[in-house]
Amino acid sequence: MTAISSVTIRRACRGDVGSIVAMLADDPLGSARERLEDPLPQLYFRAFEVLERQPHIQLVVAEDSDGAVVGCLQLCILPGLSSQGASRGLIEDVRVATRCRSRGIGEQLVQWAVAEARAKGCKLVELLTHHTRVDAQRFYARLGFARSHVGMTLRF
Amino acid sequence: MTAISSVTIRRACRGDVGSIVAMLADDPLGSARERLEDPLPQLYFRAFEVLERQPHIQLVVAEDSDGAVVGCLQLCILPGLSSQGASRGLIEDVRVATRCRSRGIGEQLVQWAVAEARAKGCKLVELLTHHTRVDAQRFYARLGFARSHVGMTLRF
């Protein structure tokens, strides 16, 4: 049993974009979708600049005691009329660096997002996870999430 | 076979909140969650005021030729780093008034949202639909959506 790694969760900055894209690219689905090149394509930095301007979205990273970025998560707060006007928190792009898995880092990221969504008045947190990510579904179920919905997507 | 009703899709205004909540409440899941009272609880109007201030969210209604509100949909544009910095469109709270079902109104709403998301530069549109809403899943599949993800939720 590997010990739990305590991490610091902080807002991502421009200097973290390369580490985040490396984590996004480091799995079978992500490797086909991302362009992990040196230098990193400018489109990632442009997307980061757009993200930074969104008051309702927080892209955060988990930093270990050596200052290395070992995880990431994006939380969006979505107001709406349904459920008596309750806001929802949407969790996206949760990743933990391969070498740092099974140390509780993903759990700390998700628990941070749940606490943050509650603090912002949300009554619900939701996420979509690819149907092939069975480990992820078990992980979220362990944290109290219900497999309540079907996630449907249309790619252009 | 009922004829297709051509509707006008427009941004929701404060005067539509009652009609929208009535549609949200008019199904087995929604009736347990909403408070369709007269007068309508202020919390719905407060949520609408928050929604109106979000540049990334559009709550729209479908209006028939008599000016009646017969459908609604909420579209959120979500920037992010994944998929090469592609924005995603999230579709929520799609409803059609019971008396107006099977006339292509839901399809016109969803096609509006897909076109709008594309116009805003999204590479993907996604949605969560409750696992019991089998008709909804068939409807979205017919419009080209894939059942690619599991939607997981945590309610507080």
Side-chain angles (χ1 to χ4, degrees), chain A residues 34 83 125 129 146 148 150 153-154, chain B residues 34 83 125 129 146 148 150 153-154:
Chain A
E34 307 304 340
S83 295
V125 173
T129 172
S148 52
V150 176
T153 52
L154 178 66
Chain B
E34 308 303 340
S83 296
V125 173
T129 172
S148 52
V150 176
T153 52
L154 178 67

Side-chain angles (χ1 to χ4, degrees), chain B residues 33-156:
Chain B
R33 285 189 196 143
E34 308 303 340
R35 283 175 56 200
L36 188 59
E37 299 162 12
D38 186 13
L40 198 66
Q42 279 300 313
L43 46 81
Y44 287 111
F45 294 102
R46 283 197 296 271
F48 182 77
E49 286 156 17
V50 173
L51 265 178
E52 273 196 307
R53 291 196 299 268
Q54 315 292 318
H56 60 294
I57 297 183
Q58 292 183 72
L59 174 63
V60 297
V61 293
E63 196 179 77
D64 71 11
S65 53
D66 298 326
V69 168
V70 293
C72 62
L73 177 149
Q74 186 166 314
L75 173 67
C76 181
I77 306 294
L78 297 158
L81 294 188
S82 65
S83 296
Q84 301 185 34
S87 288
R88 282 161 277 204
L90 176 71
I91 293 177
E92 302 180 286
D93 292 345
V94 182
R95 294 290 187 285
V96 172
T98 314
R99 68 182 190 288
C100 302
R101 300 254 167 95
S102 306
R103 295 187 200 169
I105 296 170
E107 179 167 345
Q108 289 172 73
L109 280 162
V110 173
Q111 298 292 26
W112 172 86
V114 169
E116 179 70 13
R118 287 184 87 134
K120 291 266 164 71
C122 294
K123 295 282 189 288
L124 173 82
V125 173
E126 60 190 14
L127 59 89
L128 289 95
T129 172
H130 197 268
H131 69 93
T132 59
R133 296 196 197 272
V134 180
D135 287 351
Q137 289 149 35
R138 254 195 301 262
F139 163 74
Y140 290 116
R142 189 164 58 75
L143 300 185
F145 284 76
R147 292 171 60 104
S148 52
H149 287 68
V150 176
M152 302 190 72
T153 52
L154 178 67
R155 286 188 181 267
F156 308 139

Side-chain angles (χ1 to χ4, degrees), chain A residues 90-101:
Chain A
L90 176 71
I91 293 177
E92 300 180 287
D93 292 345
V94 182
R95 294 293 187 285
V96 172
T98 313
R99 68 183 191 286
C100 302
R101 301 254 166 94

Side-chain angles (χ1 to χ4, degrees), chain A residues 69-88:
Chain A
V69 168
V70 294
C72 62
L73 178 149
Q74 186 166 314
L75 173 68
C76 181
I77 306 294
L78 297 158
L81 294 188
S82 66
S83 295
Q84 301 185 33
S87 288
R88 283 162 276 204

